[in-house]
Amino acid sequence: MPRDYRPAKSIRVLLAEDQGMMRGALALLLGMEPDLEVVAQVGTGDAIVDAALTYRPDVALLDIELPNRSGLDAAADLRDQVPDCRVLILTTFGRPGYLRRAMEAGAVGFLVKDGPVDDLAVAIRRVLTGETVIDPALAAAALSAGPSPLTARECDVLRASADGATVADIAADLHLSESTVRNYLSSAIGKTGTRNRAEALRAARQQGWV
């Protein structure tokens, strides 16, 4: 497509990326595509839905690890509140578990950031036509890794155990009894083949399960 060609209606893109330099560079490069227009840029996960409701993008490019709310949680929010917006996850962390969670949240694309911008532009166009676009290497890794062994509640408890939270802290945060929290932690430790909850959380994050 010629660079000086401008269609009557451009594809409207929302970009969510917490690193300002990366966000600005992506916006600039995508804006050079004749049929793409970056209509909104946000740096935190909790700003995504409001921006989408305001600017009505056709496609949202979401990083996963964003302040205040993850891109995966925001993808699920967009599916419910802005269903016409197609979600494409763009992340540094190409972990199999993230791919599965992204698809469950309603994303229709999953790419890693080290790819060329031309490929990203093509992916944006493809998801808008109804296709699902997934990095081939990541798709193969996800198939070989299999589903997460952790239940949703075990994931919740592991997340809440970060930063040295006590069992009592976790119980209060999740409105569970302390004995239930201990049971979930013990189960998660066993399923991840680790020795303690810190190792279990680290292993689960490495796989993209939490």
Side-chain angles (χ1 to χ4, degrees), residues 97-198:
Y98 278 162
L99 172 57
R100 290 179 179 274
R101 291 169 59 198
M103 297 299 105
E104 290 170 358
V108 293
F110 196 108
L111 298 174
V112 291
K113 290 180 182 176
D114 58 2
V117 172
D118 285 348
D119 288 355
L120 177 57
V122 170
I124 292 171
R125 299 181 187 111
R126 288 176 61 190
V127 299
L128 199 59
T129 66
E131 292 186 56
T132 298
V133 181
I134 300 173
D135 179 88
L138 185 58
L143 286 172
S144 63
S148 169
L150 302 174
T151 67
R153 213 52 170 147
E154 287 165 354
C155 290
D156 290 340
V157 169
L158 279 181
R159 289 190 198 95
S161 72
D163 302 322
T166 66
V167 169
D169 293 334
I170 299 169
D173 185 37
L174 298 179
H175 307 290
L176 299 170
S177 69
E178 293 185 22
S179 62
T180 299
V181 168
R182 291 190 183 93
N183 288 339
Y184 281 133
L185 287 172
S186 177
S187 178
I189 290 167
K191 289 178 179 179
T192 54
T194 52
R195 295 173 297 179
N196 54 55
R197 65 182 187 177

Side-chain angles (χ1 to χ4, degrees), residues 1 5 26 31 66 72 90 97 116 162 184-186 189 207:
M1 186 178 294
Y5 168 75
L26 272 174
L66 293 167
L72 297 177
L90 183 64
Y184 281 133
L185 287 172
S186 177
I189 290 167
Q207 290 295 326

Side-chain angles (χ1 to χ4, degrees), residues 27-52:
L28 179 63
L29 291 170
L30 290 174
M32 294 173 66
E33 295 291 325
D35 58 337
L36 303 182
E37 179 186 4
V38 178
V39 296
Q41 301 178 46
V42 299
T44 61
D46 58 349
I48 291 172
V49 172
D50 284 346

